Each structure stands twice: as C-alpha cells, then as structure tokens.
Amino acid sequence: MELRHLQHFVAVAEDQHFTRAAERLMVSQSGLSASIRALERELQTPLFVRTTRRVTLTPAGRALLGEAERILTQVRSAHEAVAAVQGVLRGMLAMGTEQCIAGVDAARLLAAFRRQHPDVEICLRQAGSGALAEEVAAGRLDLAFAVRTDHADSDQLRSVPLADEPMTVLCHASHRLASADAVTPEDLGREVFVDFHPDWGPRRITDAAFAAAGVRRTVALEVNDVHTLLDLVDENLGIAVVPRHFRHKRASLTALPLKGTDERAYKTVALLPPAQATSPAARALMALLESGSA
C-alpha cells in the first residue's frame, strides 16, 4: 500500500467525484482511477460505489477513510518535525473554532502565529463544537477551540480548559420578562426560543441545563450564525440563551441572568488537541497561546 494510493483515496472520498479529485490533485483521471483500483485489489474489496454523477463510500471505504486520514496526518507531522529540528517551521496548521468563542481571539492569535512562522500554511474551519471535536479526533484538524460539554478526555482527544462563562437570556426590550432581575428555566417553559443547531456548544449546554431542571423548551427558530440569532431576537420572534458576552453585541436587547441551574448553565471554552502526537505547528500555536503574546 503506497501513500499516494491513500492520498488519492481520501481525495475521491472528500470530493465524491473522480474528475474533481483529479483536478485538485493535478493528476490525470485515468491515473487516479488506476490508483484506486490498485488499492481495491490489494484490499480485495470495492471502496466506492460508482455512478455517473458521483461516487460514494462502501462500508469498507468508510472503515478505511478514518485510518487513511490518520496515517496521512502522521506522515505530514513527521515531515514537519524533521523541518522543525532543522530550525524551520513549515507545513500546515489546520485549526478549527466555533463562532464568537469567549477567551480566544482567533484572528489575533493566527495573525501573531503568521508573523512568527510565515512559512506555515494556515487553514481555518468554523463549525459547531461537536463537529470540531470529531475533526480533531480523526486527524483532520490539528487542534480546535470549542465549547467543552464532556469533561472526560478520550483516546483520540484531550481537553484543556481555557475559560468559563455563564449563560444569559436575551430578549426584546418589550418582552414580558424584560424587567426581571433574573429568570429560571421554569420562567421560560412556555417561551419560543431562537437557538443554534444541536451541534453547537451553547445549544448543548442549554439543552442539558433545561433537561436537568425538568423543563421542556421549544426551539422554533434554529440558526447557524450569531448575527441571525440576534436579529431574530431583536424582532421579538423569540428569546435566546447565549454565552454572557453576547449581550455586548446588540445593545437594544435585554440581558437577564439565568438562575436555578447550578453549574450546568456555565460554558467552558477549551482547547482540543489530539491525545497523542501533536504537529510542530500546533505545538507552536499552543506555546504562543500560553505565552499570552497574542
């Protein structure tokens, strides 16, 4: 099994198309097809279901994909480690982050990293905390900044707490609860909620807090970005439970402390690196973060 076979396999799996994968890899389509066939012959099983419009992974292909990604990540880390010993940091830093995460200024951190290590290519992925954790565990990201909802580390992932932040209720100034000093889940049981998709860290924290309080809530308006959430609340279409620093993003909204949930309504921002080998670029970023230079 050759590394180029695995590289070709992963590219086809990502693009779900031989022509697009060949263009991205800058190889001929016939050469790419031959590489995949050679890998299938060696493994004695089909890896893709081919149609005229796209290709999809077979069960064997899905089983291989995670291992292939980990192998390629380890090979890349080996090359980068050798370069680092020679005094030059090269390669790629693949980082993930959730939107508007407290305690980390991702743009400033990456800018400081770029100034120190201009030869490293930076790739950034923004997604929900659940997806980011899966990407780090699978080796597709070097590290991520996410909301930690599971305090237990795993064989693939470590969790380094960075900051805690309480959750806050945002509502329109004319809302019936706007004059309250604070609210509890019981006060909000009949409200219509604006919230993020279930993969987002704040949504997971809120769902867990209300479930623990025995209060069922209705998320009627589900969004995937902070500004749309604030717009919907600003139009009095619902209320939202968000990290406390969101209250500074829209002065027209009323912010109410969420009480009666103990520590469950606290969001922990964490750095998620892999449990085992960390790339030299990721180690350099972590050192920069720890030094407070960014």
Side-chain angles (χ1 to χ4, degrees):
M1 187 180 297
E2 299 181 22
L3 282 176
R4 66 183 178 91
H5 291 160
L6 295 179
Q7 291 168 339
H8 294 169
F9 164 74
V10 170
V12 175
E14 290 175 344
D15 290 338
Q16 297 185 336
H17 201 278
F18 275 84
T19 301
R20 288 195 295 268
E23 291 172 351
R24 178 155 65 94
L25 293 169
M26 291 185 289
V27 300
S28 68
Q29 185 171 340
S30 60
L32 179 62
S33 297
S35 179
I36 298 300
R37 286 196 300 270
L39 188 57
E40 290 176 325
R41 281 196 303 271
E42 181 173 349
L43 295 174
Q44 299 181 348
T45 185
L47 299 173
F48 294 104
V49 176
R50 297 159 171 83
T51 69
T52 56
R53 308 190 73 170
R54 67 171 187 164
V55 294
T56 56
L57 288 166
T58 64
R62 289 194 295 272
L64 176 62
L65 181 59
E67 296 302 322
E69 289 173 330
R70 276 189 282 272
I71 290 169
L72 293 175
T73 298
Q74 290 169 354
V75 170
R76 175 168 63 87
S77 296
H79 283 288
E80 293 170 1
V82 172
V85 169
Q86 296 171 334
V88 179
L89 194 60
R90 292 194 177 95
M92 178 187 294
L93 172 70
M95 189 185 94
T97 184
E98 193 167 271
Q99 278 190 40
C100 299
I101 202 158
V104 179
D105 188 330
R108 183 176 297 175
L109 179 63
L110 289 176
F113 180 86
R114 169 63 58 78
R115 288 192 295 270
Q116 291 190 11
H117 308 289
D119 293 325
V120 176
E121 179 184 357
I122 296 173
C123 292
L124 178 66
R125 169 167 160 70
Q126 192 176 76
S129 291
L132 293 175
E134 292 176 2
E135 297 264 313
V136 175
R140 292 187 288 271
L141 290 176
D142 293 315
L143 49 78
F145 295 101
V147 175
R148 187 175 71 167
T149 55
D150 184 355
H151 289 252
D153 294 347
S154 70
D155 293 338
Q156 292 82 32
L157 195 68
R158 288 191 294 124
S159 177
V160 182
L162 298 177
D164 287 331
E165 183 181 22
M167 302 295 284
T168 297
V169 175
L170 291 183
C171 66
H172 191 271
S174 65
H175 191 276
R176 66 179 182 87
L177 294 173
S179 60
D181 294 328
V183 292
T184 66
E186 289 76 11
D187 296 326
L188 307 176
R190 295 184 178 180
E191 295 296 326
V192 173
F193 285 83
V194 184
D195 211 332
F196 301 112
H197 289 287
D199 188 55
W200 278 53
R203 170 69 181 271
R204 293 182 172 195
I205 294 293
T206 304
D207 285 347
F210 275 70
V215 176
R216 182 179 179 182
R217 70 189 189 111
T218 301
V219 179
L221 305 167
E222 203 171 67
V223 302
N224 203 33
D225 73 281
V226 172
H227 296 293
T228 301
L229 179 143
L230 296 174
D231 288 343
L232 293 169
V233 177
D234 212 2
E235 293 294 340
N236 206 15
L237 292 171
I239 66 171
V241 182
V242 296
R244 184 173 60 183
H245 77 277
F246 280 29
R247 71 189 193 277
H248 300 301
K249 297 181 181 295
R250 192 65 60 92
S252 58
L253 297 179
T254 299
L256 304 169
L258 181 61
K259 300 295 184 180
T261 56
D262 301 323
E263 75 282 356
R264 295 184 187 90
Y266 275 78
K267 182 187 78 164
T268 299
V269 175
L271 170 67
L272 305 180
Q276 304 299 326
T278 305
S279 73
R283 290 197 296 272
L285 185 80
M286 292 166 67
L288 185 62
L289 180 68
E290 186 176 352
S291 71
S293 301

